Amino acid sequence: MANAKQYLVALDAGGTMTDTFFVDEDGAFVLGKALTNPDDESESYMESVRDAAEIFGITREELHQGALNINYAGTGMLNCVLTRSGRNVGLLTTRGFEDHPFLDRGLTWLGKSYEDTMHSTLHEHPPRLIKNHNFVKGISERVLGPSYYAGAHYPADTVIIPLNEKEVRQGTEELLDSGANVIGILFLHSYIVPKHEKRAAEIARQVVAKRGLDVPVVTSHEICPVAFENARLKSLLIQCYAGVKATETFMRIESGAKKEGFSRDLQTLLSYGATVNIRYPRIYESIISGPTGGMLGALKLMKGIKGLDDVVCADLGGTTWDVGIIARGQLPVNKEPDFLGHRVNLPMVAIDSIGAGTGQQIHVDAHLKRVTLGPESAGSKVGTCYKYSDITVGDVDVVLGYLNPDNFLGGKVKVYRDVALKRLEEDLAKPLGGNVYDLSCGVLDLLHSGMREFIKATLLSRGYDPLEFTLVVYGGGGPLHLWGVAEEMEFAGVCTVPWAAAFSAYGVATADYFHRYERSVLCTLPPTLTPEEKVAACKDMDAAWREMEATAYKELEAEEYSNEHVSFTYGISARYLGQMASWDSEFAQGRFKTAQDVDDAIAGFEKAYATVYPTAAQMPEAGYAFTGVTLKAIVNKVQPVIAKHALVGPKPSKHAHKGQREVYHRKWTTFDIWDMDSLQPGNRIDGPSIIEHSMTTMVIPPDNYVEFDEHKVMWYKKK
Amino acid sequence: MVQSASKDAMRRLVDGEIPWDEAKELLHINPKEDGRFRTYMEVLKEKWKFDDELLLRISEHLYIVRKKEGSRVVKCDCGHEFGDYRANWKLSSKVYVRRTKEELAEVMTIEPRNYPNPKLVEVREWYCPGCFAQIGVDVVPRGYPVLWEFFPDIDTFYREWLDVPLKDQRPDWYEDKTPERVAQWAHKTSGG
Amino acid sequence: MLIAERKAKDPKQTAKGLGHEGMTLREMIEKRDRVTAETGHYYGLTSLPLHNDDAVKMTRFNAQLTTTAVFARETAKHVAASPVMRSFGECLWMILQPEGDAVTASLGLIGHVQTAAFLVKSIADMNYEGDPSLGLHEGDLITVNDPFYGGMHGADTYTLLPIFYQGELIAWAAAVNHITDMGGGLSPGGLPTISTDVFTDGWQFPPVKMGQNFRIAKWWDELYMRQTRTGMFNVMDQKARVAGDKMIHDQVLKIVEEVGVDYYRQATREIIERERRHLERVVRRSLMPGFSQHANFNYFTWKGLVPPGSPADKNTVLHRPVDFAISADGKMHVDYTGDTSEGPGHNYHVWRGGAYGGLSWWWFPQLHYGQCVNTAPNYQINLELRAGAHTNPTDPFVARSAGVLVGGRVGSLFKCTQYPMLARGILEEIGQTDPQALMPEFEGTLESGVKWGFGDFGASTGCSSTGARPYKDGESATTLLWNPQSDLGEIEEWELYMPPVVYLGKAKRLPNACGHGKFRGGNGFGPLYMIYKPGNLRISGSAALTCANFLNTTNGLAGGYPSYGAIVMAFRDTNIYELIERGEPHPTSVPEVLQFIKEGKLKVGEIKEWGGAAEPIEMKHGDLWGIIVHAQGGYGDPLERNHSLIQSDLNECLMTPDVVKEVYAVQAESVGGAWKIDEDVSSKLKEQALKKRKERAVNAEEWWRMERAEVLRKDFSEEITALYADVVKNSDSFRGKFLKFWCLPDDFEI
């Protein structure tokens, strides 16, 4: 092999593009792009990797041979559910609940706008994950669940209806007869009393084995031992419907890579930011991982390299503005996210999105003199300046001069400013009455304020103050509209990076290798307890942690990490006794030996709670309840280096200057145009300026400037 | 996004064959487009088999039409006429009243078939005397005056909301003639 | 003491008011009403200058306010203890004008945007501001739940927080949520099934200042703990309301700093006027001038259930007609004057505020969904009420704890607007969704002696099926009228709070449970509880908005059949645990229980049945209690139903072959487990069905003579006689209608 250079390769396969972030030991990196091929992701994988390799000046084989590890965050499951091409799922569930897969808990408004949610004639059930009731068998069985009146009533595992094994056997036979090729099992309260599920699975597997079939049998308590049967059911069904298939896709990509000399296992990213081997048993946990990549990148770059603990991560694409909050160096986790109209039980890095983006369509209501944006988006059709039928934000960017019509995607796409101008005059200026350029600025104000308000709301709703947070903006459209967000909002700092356009892929490369485990428990701590009783009350949690540690060792061993490489961190969910919601906090000890341990855990909860709610909402006198325990089992993994350069001084080199352009920035103004790749660490670019890159454009208004620091992070500042 | 219902969409909607995705596009129009009524009437007129002039559609099968000689009547798409639209068309229909538990249970089919409560209400089924299509169902106590689904103020609508006044507009086109209708019946009764 | 009297007694205001330009709250309200009446535009805004000058800025400002309310709800509801609020979202946060009109609101219990204005008026009428014993200051918390002061029903508890900017009252933050138990004297729950008067309704109070400096007074928590069965839930709900109000308070002040107080004052008024205009435009585009009518009834069987000698000791039918008109100017006129008069026998009395609140269940899903929901529709809808009717009573002591029925007749309002919509060609929006709530309320003492209480929103109240449309069947569990975020909840959550009550089935679609038609309504479903070692337990089913005894609010359209109001059944002294021991299957829904009994599989000591609300009854180990949740009406003639739809209904087990034959005149055969239609036989069956209609039907005139004769003989059941006797005597509008239609003498009486 020619050179022994080693590389990290990470891919973010989005709906439209598959981005590759490719970096060597010294931190030299390139980006590769290719159109995602939903029918065969292994093709677009190869395309995107080839693109990166070429730019870097090596062959794809060299890349694969030199790759230390390859992490592929895909959209396989998303497509599988969208195109309804999943497995033929059969379900065994508690008798009486056979219709739950079809009624979706009545949550027929998930993912709909405020207006469409109000407009109930638009409510609808999502496409089914199970064909029809012939694929659902009710089984006689019932256990008592946990109680708010714990201790005052019968215990959780009380069997009210014994498991009817005959029905399990018969049900499995019938499901196989009707052609089910994967079988899920969910019984009520199994997250805390799994005995019936376990036994039913044994029986079902026997039946399958007897027929000599390869039909997986999956139980809900293995997939996600978490309360709430509808959400748990969705997790189970998605694992059954799409998980199996997703693993197949990953396998295909891996074998392709191995053919070209890749010597390790392919890895993928889970929705809560963990890198895992693609043979991970709960692969459905990777349903949405692309956006997560961005958050991880921000975490590594801002916390890991810049030492900043409080960061707002904002990704502007063509359609959505995704905002995530890193507070005190922690990634936020949402435990009941929505996925294509299904509410699942699955921890996911919490990212809030609104419709806002460079492709958004502009609506004008002449009667009410009202301008609104979206929800429709031109996507890759940009706007009337390219291939879209209606005026969009993209048209405005081009008409005002922020975007260079000849440098769109590095000139790969030719857009027409004159067409956009004509349409904006007809569809925007005429109905509202006024100057097309001022109104276009107005449209951007509307877009930017929407983006700002959303950041504010996201921070405030969690009790955070923007002044303590650093804003990092990325995504194809990020640098282009960063100025509008920063304009009327104060942050601790504002920045972006030259590789903003493939930032999520970069983030994927930085992901830690770990497994996350969670159990629901119910330990109640009324104020009356003695220290001894307190510790006793928490014994279930201890047990749960020990059990999860054991599982973690086992699973990671299977992925060839022996125990000494594994380290743990612990977390709890707690609430005031009687509350419905719980709040998460870290718990260093991970075990309850003394009453002090319990008090520490409580203190952690009180701290988390107080950041969000006013004093009037606190209630220590009620006592506390611990409702969940989490465990992270982490193993070390190679991280991409972000090279640290010597600073060359503020003055950019001559050849970085590409010329000048007239831009209507509230009035006609002459902007300097710069070439992103020619700018050096230490350079300062003063507004009015525009920095162009084949994949993105950075706007710097007259009163602002940008400084490139030693990591080429671009700090956006006021003069 | 769709700003108005195309004529094809309108046809599918009227025939009850519009696909859900297309229906959703129409549902998203808010407020509904100005031209909807025009498109609707064009589609209805294409389907209309008779030579009197369509003014409105007021139910699945029922229309208000202007006849050659100038009267405005309710007419079923089977061709049967219910007379002056200013009197509740139900009074020119055939009617079957369900009163006993058994009669009610024939069409109220959830177990236990005890509802509605025959002691309190009756179910009145209104049929078109021409084609005997079921054109209305009321559930009211015995002795309850017949409910009038909709008595449109046609002249005002065409004149002030569509801005195309009807040539034969007259103040008394929006006068409830139902009392006259029953008064005649009462007169016959007392008359012998 | 009535507000009216109190007003008269008030000392003349002299102190400078808290409002703009030193106006008192009452003066501001009077001014708003005056100029709005004079001009027909909210606050006299004949134009919208701020919208015209800078549409973008205004859109931005509006979005800021709505986001503020939405996030207050999303954040604060998690403080709550009661699943009703937290996972169910039975709560709402609003930003109000100083005069009380809601400018915008979060999602949730939207209806309250219409009641808020009435609550603030009560606060003004009590002269909070001028009366030194009350006072109105920064950080004051005011809570109210008595519908007499403007709300819908006692469980809906409001907390208001005034927002001052440089000493001027510029807004209110307002929260409302449905509490789990209001401490009813005769039956438990947020919506007591039975209460004979205000004294047995439960704990209801006028606007009370129960906190200062954004802190809740300790005595207030104590009251909740002592006066209600679910003290801890209610205390935490109170904390959640305050938490959200405080967030709105702080954020609104930030916004005012940003835009300036003059802009805020004008812009908020413009938003309300803009939305009024929007509704007017929707009416002009989707409806039509004209007149529609419908009628709605509810049945209360309290005979023998209330303390002996109580005037409420009787069975009562409530008459709730709707006369609906649209005038040339696009205003909508809703007339409830035909309502049964006030009096004992039900607890559904409600005042003007609540009546307006109920209207929202009809206008927001049907007409005024949009980017901003607020009080504007109050100014586009005239509501005619009769003083002394049960909607708008004059007696302040009447029972009002389940006044939620204000929403019960929106099914009638849907019908009144959907025929005009059909005439306009807005067919896509036509589809009945009729309201229903049938809430199981529990009260018990566990074997261990621990007392508990609960209301199970998840059982049947969280989500309704939808009605048939002119182009598609209705669907099960798809929407909820009063809360756009429908939710059936999670059993693993609800069972935490109802220890001895075990769900044997929940959302199982019931065959044949729908309104039949060319397109059918969405099938009903329903829970079945099995009782397990309960100690002492009472269960009731409360707040039947519509009532199975009458099907009228779930009527179909254009010849479609009606469906059901909720049906409740209880089965006592069953041998179900024997079945279970023998390892035999158990029933999972009410119809299945009936089937099991019919087949002799299940033995039952006593069966109780209610075609609507069910009074509290004692339940023991092995008893069953269940609901058939209301389904929805059909559209068009069943004989015109497409056979492929019938076939899929059979294959999805939503219909049985016998019913398909009886109602749709279609013959189906099961072939290898799948259903096929026999077209030849079916076409003959259809001929026979039409022939049957011809034979059975009579001319309307002939029918009129027969039924008129019965009217003259007053040949009605006791309850219906009482109904007519009341409204024919006391409601001029109904009397006129009744005498005219039956051609009766002017002195006619019943």
Side-chain angles (χ1 to χ4, degrees), chain C residues 474-643:
Chain C
E475 286 178 46
S476 296
T478 301
T479 190
L480 179 61
L481 265 187
W482 61 87
N483 178 350
Q485 292 174 313
S486 56
D487 188 345
L488 280 171
E490 302 274 3
I491 291 173
E492 288 175 351
E493 184 163 38
W494 302 101
E495 283 191 352
L496 274 171
Y497 299 89
M498 35 199 272
V501 182
V502 175
Y503 272 97
L504 282 189
K506 185 187 177 193
K508 199 167 185 180
R509 291 168 298 172
L510 305 174
N512 308 327
C514 64
H516 300 291
K518 178 183 180 182
F519 293 97
R520 56 153 180 81
N523 283 55
F525 45 94
L528 180 68
Y529 298 139
M530 176 173 73
I531 310 306
Y532 181 79
K533 304 188 178 167
N536 299 322
L537 171 64
R538 291 203 307 159
I539 307 182
S540 59
S542 74
L545 294 179
T546 63
C547 164
N549 284 295
F550 298 90
L551 308 179
N552 49 329
T553 65
T554 52
N555 270 181
L557 286 161
Y561 280 111
S563 180
Y564 304 83
I567 300 163
V568 179
M569 294 190 79
F571 306 89
R572 301 214 263 203
D573 312 320
T574 77
N575 65 337
I576 185 144
Y577 284 109
E578 290 171 23
L579 254 70
I580 289 167
E581 267 168 43
R582 291 203 299 271
E584 293 172 17
H586 55 80
T588 63
S589 67
V590 169
E592 275 181 33
V593 175
L594 296 167
Q595 191 60 26
F596 271 59
I597 295 172
K598 204 186 277 169
E599 294 167 3
K601 288 189 205 154
L602 185 74
K603 294 193 181 47
V604 176
E606 181 195 11
I607 301 180
K608 291 181 75 72
E609 178 177 339
W610 301 265
E615 74 274 6
I617 60 167
E618 192 188 6
M619 300 294 284
K620 292 196 153 53
H621 184 68
D623 291 354
L624 303 170
W625 194 98
I627 305 171
I628 293 170
V629 177
H630 78 307
Q632 301 289 348
Y635 177 94
D637 184 345
L639 294 183
E640 296 170 24
R641 182 164 178 77
N642 182 320
H643 286 188

Side-chain angles (χ1 to χ4, degrees), chain A residues 97 99 105-106 108-109 114 119 121 125 133 142 148 152 154 189 228-230 232 369 449 580 613 619, chain C residues 55 60 75 81 105 236 429 447-448 469 476 478 484 486-488 490-493 495-497 509 651:
Chain A
F97 304 90
D99 268 357
R105 191 178 140 182
T108 48
W109 42 270
Y114 182 97
H119 189 183
T121 41
H125 291 277
H133 68 278
R142 195 73 162 77
Y148 180 76
Y154 293 85
H189 300 300
F228 297 178
E229 73 280 2
N230 286 286
R232 191 163 76 251
K369 299 274 182 220
S449 66
M580 289 301 297
Y613 298 104
M619 198 180 196
Chain C
R60 200 161 79 204
T75 314
M236 293 307 289
E429 299 285 352
E447 287 176 351
S448 61
R469 304 186 191 178
S476 296
T478 301
S486 56
D487 188 345
L488 280 171
E490 302 274 3
I491 291 173
E492 288 175 351
E493 184 163 38
E495 283 191 352
L496 274 171
Y497 299 89
R509 291 168 298 172
N651 287 324

